[in-house]
Structures are given as structure tokens and as C-alpha cells.
Amino acid sequence: MAQVKLNAVRKTYPNGFEAVKPASFDIADGEFVVLVGPSGCGKSTMLRMIAGLEDISAGELSIGDSVVNHVDPADRDIAMVFQNYALYPHMTVRKNIGYGLKNRKIPSAEIDAKVAEAANMLNLNDYLDRKASQLSGGQRQRVAMGRAIVRDPALFLFDEPLSNLDAKLRNQMRIEIKALQRRLGVTAVYVTHDQVEAMTMADRIIVMNGGVIEQIGTPSEVYHSPASTFVASFMGAPPMNLFDGHANGSEVHVGSTPLHRHAHQGKVTVGIRPEDIVPDVTGPLAIHVNIIEELGAHRLLHGHTAEQPVTIHVAKDYPAAIGPMTASIKPDAVSLFDTATGRRL
Amino acid sequence: MKRAGFSDRWLPVLFLLPQLTIIVIFFYWPAAHAVRSSFFLQDPFGFGETFVGIKNYTMLLDSASYLRAAWFTVIFVTLVTFLSLAIALLLAVKADKVIRGAKTYRTLLMWVYAVAPPVAGVIGLVLFDQSWGPIKDFVAQFGWDFRLGVNYFDTAFTLVVMSVWKQLPVNFIFFLSGLQSIPRSVREAALIDNRSAAGRFWDVTFPLLAPTGFFLLIINITYALFDTFGIFDTTFKGEPGNNPMTLVYKVYLDGFRGNDLGGSSAQSVILMVLVLALTIFQFRMVERRIHYT
Ligand SMILES: Nc1ncnc2c1ncn2[C@@H]1O[C@H](COP(=O)(O)OP(=O)(O)OP(=O)(O)O)[C@@H](O)[C@H]1O
Ligand SMILES: [Mg+2]
């Protein structure tokens, strides 16, 4: 178990592409941190630098109390689960799980005991003597998990470990991984581009975009107080509504509707979560509903205000209808962003 | 796999006919002929033949020069196969690690592949030549009085070196592509699991290369047995004398130079049986082999 510190860590690939711009953050001992962002934003690069699979171009990385920039992956006391599991296809499940231990000069009786324990935990007992190439995707995923947990490392690294599983298995494994990490108390860095995984698993989320960290915060902070319009539209399904607004120094208007009090002056982007817009016959916001999306537990209404698109989240018993309606906005539910920079005001 | 159906049952036969004709004319017919003549004593001037049963075979097994060639063949094939596989694997592993200038490096290593066998033989001769070869002068500095074509060991040495050199690029290309088909993440997982590079090689890389390696093993044995003929022929310049030779070269020598067609046929039949055994072994192994996916 260990804390991880990144100090201005940066990655420039040999072709000159800067995949990760200088990034600094700390991960506390036992914390579950999720790196999330769109494809190509540098999540894997960041994780692979922590693992030691990719050189760090500049900056300093420490795991525990020591700087590990130039320490071999095998000596960093980490365990990694890869997206395609990266099992050794010619080895049995038992050997796959035990391989890392065998190379750490652990007595074979102890290896057997640990492998048996991990297999129990992951329901792999029936497959221990099968070749890894003869397993289903879900079973491979478990073996990859087993390989990571037997090592009892200081740090777990996950690179989209669930993205090759079907939706049901993914939901189940998501909960299991989180529970396992809690139980073992091992620090974890988890890469995903799935914002649901990020929200549900993380103690803290790091949102990346184009090699830059946009925001670091708890799931609730990231969701309710996004640091930028990028985070606002990336996190949450459906994403936050973003309206072009205007601030006159005391009030913020969208179209002619005053929505919020703020001392800023000039063009702003107004962000409101779909569930923070509530149908209200006396509400100030006039909306025209075009599409009703039935999701069972609730409904989404897609439409537009005077000139801008909007999505509203309503309860399943709300009598939704296509056509005009009015709504009000929950107090304190408005995020304001500088239109020019996209940063939160 | 999709099965295409032919409505007419003779149509596929028609398509196969050219290939079958070639196989029958150039392979089965001569093979059958060789089997037949191995039981006859041929008149050297073509004036008839006498049935002698298995006498051609028993004579072979009693012949010191045949047993000597057989023994040399075993050693030669083993050495050539082992060395060309081992060196090619080493080169491939090194080339696989090269990141900067990888393309140039690999192209340079593959160039030898484009050299035709007789040309390779000639280049080898130039290098090892008795009167003006640089290698002879070089080893002379270490007190090795190198005599190609005169000294049995020196000649054998040259033949092995040239045969290995000629086969390296093929093995190299196969090993390199084998290495590159090992998923990157599997190697990275090994990088985390095992700090020793040698350990990673033997535990992960080598077993995953085994299918490639096995295929190459068969190819190399066949090469060392049969395709080295040109190298022998160029080296001997038509005067084999007492030099080391493989069984394949001896078939040619006894049959065409010695005019012993019966004995030479018997030798060919023995070689055929050998190839058959090798092929059966290969099929057995391929069937049993696990396919990694
Ligand atoms: N070896 C490399 N050389 C040059 N550029 C690279 C290299 N590897 C990755 N990149 C680039 O770096 C950027 C970040 O890549 P990375 O794999 O970290 O993305 P990611 O966030 O993990 O994306 P995904 O969700 O698709 O896995 C991408 O634009 C990619 O094209
Ligand atoms: Mg990635």
C-alpha cells in the first residue's frame, strides 16, 4: 500500500507528440482514483508511465516514499490489469496467476496457497488447470484480476479492464472490483472512458482532455461543479445543458429569461443538469418539447428554449406531452462558465 | 469455414488436373522408377539390367563410404539446423528490440535472402578460397593452416558455415514476424511479473514462438538435407575426392559420376523413406499442437 505522487509528469512520444502535458497530483494510500476522458486523451499513457511501461519525459513520479522514474516495472510493486487481459496463452490459469510470485522467489507452498485463495475469491477453482487460451472473456478477466491480487502489490493499475465484457458482466465486475479494492485496501488507478464506471467506482475522478487534466475531484464535485464546459458535457448521461447566456453584472440571462444572480459581466455559458430543470407551470423558462425518451425509471424530454436545445429529466409519472411547457430551475444548480475559455466562473 | 459446392463432380478434377499431371510426371513416376531400379543391377552402358533383390541395399549398409556419408549427414544436418535457428533467433530478438532505424537494420539483415544459392556458394568460395581467400589468411594468424578441399575438417567447417549463412535470413524473417505477433500487452505483463530479461524470454517469448520454431525446424532439416546440394557442388568444383558429403550429394555422385544406378536408386529410396518419416512426424506434431489465439 502506498501513496502516489506525480510532479509535473509529462510525456512526449519519440515522434514529438506531447500525449500528456505536465501533470501534478497526489493519490492517497488506499484511494481509488479513476482517470477518465475521451479516446486519445492520454489516459493510457499516464497509466503506463506510472507502471513503468512508458518512459517519463519530464517530471517526477513517486510510489510510496521513493522516486521511481527509472525503476523497472517489476520493481515498482505494482500489478496491472490490461484491457485485453494479456494472459500468457500457453500457461494454465494456475501458472498465469502464480507467475509473478514465482519470480519473486516465494516458496511454492505459499504460491499454491495464494493462488488457491485468489481462485476461491474469483470463482476460478474449476478452471485452474485450463490453458488461458481456452477461457471465455469473462473468465479471462477474472484470471487477470487474480494475477493482480495474488501479488498483494502497493498499487493496482487498471486499463479499461471491463471494456471487452458485455453490459451485464460489466456491471457485476464493476461492483466486484470496487469491493475487492476496498477489502484489500490497495491504492488503485483505474482508466476508463466510461463515465458511469468513473462515477460509480471512484473515490476521486481525474478528467483528462487532450493530454491536459481538466479537473480532479470527487464524483459529486465533478458532476455538480464541473470545472469546465468540457467536463460538464463529458460527465453525465445525458450531459449538462449548456446555454449561451449574458451577464450584466448582477443577473445572468438566457435569452430574455433571468436565471441566476452573479457579479460577472459579459458573455457566459450557463450549465444546468437535466434533473435540475423541473416542470413548473409558473416557472420562468419556456420550453418546446420535441421528443420524449422513455427510460422506464424516468423520462427525458428533449426540446428547445427560445433558441437553444435543452434536455430535461422528469419523473416517470410526469404527464409529458409534445409541445410547449414551462419549467423552473433548482436554486444553486447553475454552473457558470466563461464562454471564451470554457472555465468555470 | 465456408464450403463451396460443385454441381458437377468432374469439374474439380478438371481444375486439379494440371497440378496432378505435374506431380505424377515429375514426382510419382520417377519415384516409382527409383524404387524399381533399386532392386536391379544396371549395365553401365545401358545394355540391360539384372534383378538382384535387396543386394543394392545390403551393399550400401556394408559400404564404409556410405556409412561415413550417413554419419556426416547426421552431424551436418544437426549442426546446420541448430546453428541457423539459434543465430537467427538471436538476431531476431535483437532486431525486435531496435526502435531507432529498425527498418534499415531489418532490411540489411534480410538482404542475404535475395542471394541465390549458387551465388552464395561462389561468395563463400571467394571468402574461403585456398590461394586468395581472406578467411584463410585470417585464421592463419591463429595458427590454423586452413585447407579447403584438402582437409576433411576444414572443408566440413566451410560447408557448415556457408549453409548456415544462406539459411539465416529465412529463419530471421520468420522469427521476427513470430516475435512481432506476440501481443505487446503480453510482453508488458511479463515485464511487470518478471524482472529478468532472460527469464521473460524463456518463460513467455520462447514458448509463444514454439509454433514458428517447430515449423522452421522442419524447413531447416529439409534444407540442410537437400537444398545444400548447390553449396556442396560449388565447393567441390566437380572434384569431391575424399571430402565430406551428405547422402543427397552421394546419390548424385554414385549415380551420375559412378554410373551405379541401382545403388544410387537404393540410396534415393532410403532418403524418400526418411522424408516420409519426417513428414509424418510433422503432421502428427501439427495436429497435436495447441493453437494460440
Ligand atoms: N507510441 C506512440 N507514439 C506517438 N503517439 C502515441 C503513441 N502512443 C499513443 N500516442 C498518442 O498519444 C495520445 C494518447 O494516447 P493514449 O493511448 O494514452 O490514449 P487513451 O486516452 O488511452 O485513449 P483510449 O481511450 O482510446 O485508449 C493519442 O493521441 C495517441 O495517438
Ligand atoms: Mg487507452
Side-chain angles (χ1 to χ4, degrees):
Chain A
M1 274 157 267
Q3 75 273 28
V4 178
K5 277 186 165 44
L6 281 86
N7 189 4
V9 167
R10 171 180 175 195
K11 176 69 190 183
T12 312
Y13 278 110
N15 66 0
F17 181 75
E18 190 180 26
V20 172
K21 309 231 161 67
S24 303
F25 57 89
D26 293 354
I27 300 172
D29 189 6
E31 196 177 15
F32 197 113
V33 166
V34 173
L35 274 171
V36 69
S39 186
C41 69
K43 313 178 290 288
S44 295
T45 305
M46 182 85 90
L47 192 77
R48 293 164 54 78
M49 284 195 286
I50 299 176
L53 300 173
E54 214 62 78
D55 289 336
I56 295 171
S57 309
E60 200 176 76
L61 167 72
S62 42
I63 299 176
D65 300 320
S66 44
V67 176
V68 295
N69 281 40
H70 300 291
V71 175
D72 280 345
D75 296 325
R76 291 192 182 188
D77 202 9
I78 52 159
M80 181 154 168
V81 178
F82 294 81
Q83 178 171 7
N84 58 6
Y85 317 134
L87 302 182
Y88 310 118
H90 57 294
M91 293 187 195
T92 60
V93 169
R94 187 189 303 281
K95 291 221 167 100
N96 260 286
I97 298 179
Y99 184 63
L101 295 176
K102 193 180 127 221
N103 294 309
R104 286 173 172 79
K105 308 272 181 293
I106 290 171
S108 64
E110 196 177 324
I111 296 182
D112 290 347
K114 286 193 168 189
V115 171
E117 190 191 336
N120 254 333
M121 214 184 277
L122 296 164
N123 288 324
L124 281 171
N125 281 321
D126 297 343
Y127 310 106
L128 278 177
D129 293 309
R130 274 218 212 154
K131 288 256 161 59
S133 52
Q134 301 163 336
L135 297 176
S136 75
Q139 291 160 349
R140 284 176 205 213
Q141 213 286 328
R142 284 167 187 278
V143 177
M145 283 298 300
R147 195 164 66 175
I149 62 178
V150 283
R151 288 265 323 283
D152 198 10
L155 178 62
F156 279 140
L157 301 173
F158 300 92
D159 194 350
E160 308 203 20
L162 304 182
S163 59
N164 287 348
L165 300 181
D166 65 59
K168 188 163 171 243
L169 207 51
R170 192 154 60 219
N171 287 339
Q172 181 190 334
M173 283 310 289
R174 194 171 74 201
I175 295 165
E176 280 185 35
I177 290 180
K178 175 75 188 179
L180 212 56
Q181 187 268 348
R182 267 289 104 82
R183 182 138 52 101
L184 303 171
V186 176
T187 316
V189 183
Y190 187 106
V191 162
T192 180
H193 58 242
D194 178 348
Q195 46 93 20
V196 178
E197 262 172 43
M199 291 293 295
T200 52
M201 299 178 87
D203 293 326
R204 259 189 323 153
I205 296 179
I206 298 180
V207 186
M208 289 185 71
N209 183 30
V212 176
I213 294 182
E214 291 268 340
Q215 185 171 11
I216 303 180
T218 63
S220 149
E221 282 165 3
V222 168
Y223 188 81
H224 295 293
S225 319
S228 64
T229 49
F230 170 79
V231 178
S233 54
F234 186 76
M235 300 299 291
M240 189 177 254
N241 292 298
L242 294 176
F243 304 112
D244 295 332
H246 188 269
N248 60 14
S250 60
E251 273 191 324
V252 177
H253 292 258
V254 170
S256 56
T257 321
L259 284 184
H260 189 63
R261 304 191 67 78
H262 197 279
H264 188 78
Q265 202 155 19
K267 281 199 164 160
V268 290
T269 300
V270 180
I272 307 167
R273 290 278 173 205
E275 62 274 22
D276 292 331
I277 304 179
V278 273
D280 179 353
V281 280
T282 60
L285 200 61
I287 295 167
H288 188 92
V289 178
N290 297 326
I291 296 172
I292 301 171
E293 208 178 349
E294 179 66 69
L295 293 174
H298 59 264
R299 288 173 181 163
L300 295 177
L301 312 182
H302 300 281
H304 53 85
T305 64
E307 53 276 321
Q308 304 181 48
V310 62
T311 299
I312 313 174
H313 176 127
V314 293
K316 63 175 188 286
D317 47 10
Y318 173 76
I322 299 218
M325 65 177 283
T326 54
S328 61
I329 289 155
K330 285 190 192 165
D332 303 325
V334 174
S335 295
L336 282 191
F337 305 96
D338 185 316
T339 302
T341 63
R343 305 306 301 176
R344 187 181 185 86
L345 290 170
Chain B
M1 192 98 71
K2 210 166 114 179
R3 258 170 206 275
F6 286 104
S7 49
D8 183 345
R9 82 155 67 183
W10 292 108
L11 195 62
V13 177
L14 187 71
F15 287 151
L16 282 174
L17 211 54
Q19 171 90 45
L20 288 175
T21 313
I22 290 172
I23 291 179
V24 168
I25 293 181
F26 291 101
F27 186 73
Y28 288 116
W29 187 70
H33 200 74
V35 173
R36 185 183 168 277
S37 39
S38 72
F39 296 107
F40 285 84
L41 184 65
Q42 313 272 342
D43 182 280
F45 303 102
F47 294 131
E49 50 186 18
T50 329
F51 182 76
V52 292
I54 59 162
K55 196 157 157 259
N56 283 328
Y57 292 93
T58 53
M59 271 173 68
L60 270 185
L61 297 178
D62 285 338
S63 147
S65 76
Y66 185 76
L67 294 180
R68 198 160 125 101
W71 191 225
F72 173 75
T73 306
V74 171
I75 295 175
F76 177 79
V77 169
T78 312
L79 273 180
V80 170
T81 304
F82 175 76
L83 288 176
S84 54
L85 285 177
I87 297 173
L89 179 57
L90 188 74
L91 288 174
V93 168
K94 294 293 173 204
D96 189 45
K97 292 214 180 93
V98 175
I99 298 167
R100 246 172 260 262
K103 276 226 175 84
T104 324
Y105 184 62
R106 284 171 200 166
T107 313
L108 281 177
L109 277 166
M110 285 183 210
W111 261 354
V112 190
Y113 187 43
V115 179
V119 179
V122 171
I123 294 177
L125 270 191
V126 170
L127 288 173
F128 285 98
D129 189 89
Q130 197 48 48
S131 35
W132 31 270
I135 290 186
K136 176 192 160 266
D137 294 340
F138 177 72
V139 297
Q141 292 179 358
F142 304 97
W144 184 356
D145 181 18
F146 193 86
R147 287 171 184 276
L148 176 62
V150 177
N151 181 298
Y152 185 90
F153 177 82
D154 293 353
T155 312
F157 176 83
T158 309
L159 288 167
V160 169
V161 169
M162 277 161 54
S163 304
V164 168
W165 175 66
K166 184 66 194 85
Q167 186 62 6
L168 277 184
V170 184
N171 295 349
F172 171 77
I173 293 167
F174 274 99
F175 273 135
L176 188 63
S177 65
L179 280 172
Q180 293 182 338
S181 67
I182 298 177
R184 187 166 86 144
S185 58
V186 170
R187 296 180 187 208
E188 288 175 345
L191 214 53
I192 293 173
D193 273 346
N194 192 343
R195 69 168 58 82
S196 141
R200 289 195 298 268
F201 178 79
W202 291 113
D203 292 344
V204 178
T205 314
F206 191 73
L208 292 179
L209 271 184
T212 311
F214 178 73
F215 163 76
L216 283 180
L217 180 72
I218 301 291
I219 295 284
N220 278 262
I221 291 176
T222 322
Y223 161 80
L225 263 177
F226 297 98
D227 296 348
T228 48
F229 181 89
I231 294 177
F232 279 78
D233 203 39
T234 330
T235 308
F236 297 157
K237 297 177 196 154
E239 292 166 28
N242 277 329
N243 278 312
M245 67 184 68
T246 55
L247 290 175
V248 172
Y249 194 79
K250 198 164 163 51
V251 169
Y252 160 79
L253 195 69
D254 291 353
F256 294 97
R257 308 295 285 290
N259 275 334
D260 175 13
L261 286 184
S264 167
S265 296
Q267 293 185 29
S268 313
V269 172
I270 292 177
L271 282 175
M272 274 195 267
V273 173
L274 200 68
V275 172
L276 197 67
L278 198 64
T279 313
I280 292 173
F281 169 71
Q282 179 183 12
F283 280 154
R284 282 272 161 81
M285 289 301 284
V286 168
E287 264 170 25
R288 208 188 306 160
R289 200 176 74 201
I290 313 133
H291 292 271
Y292 306 127
T293 41

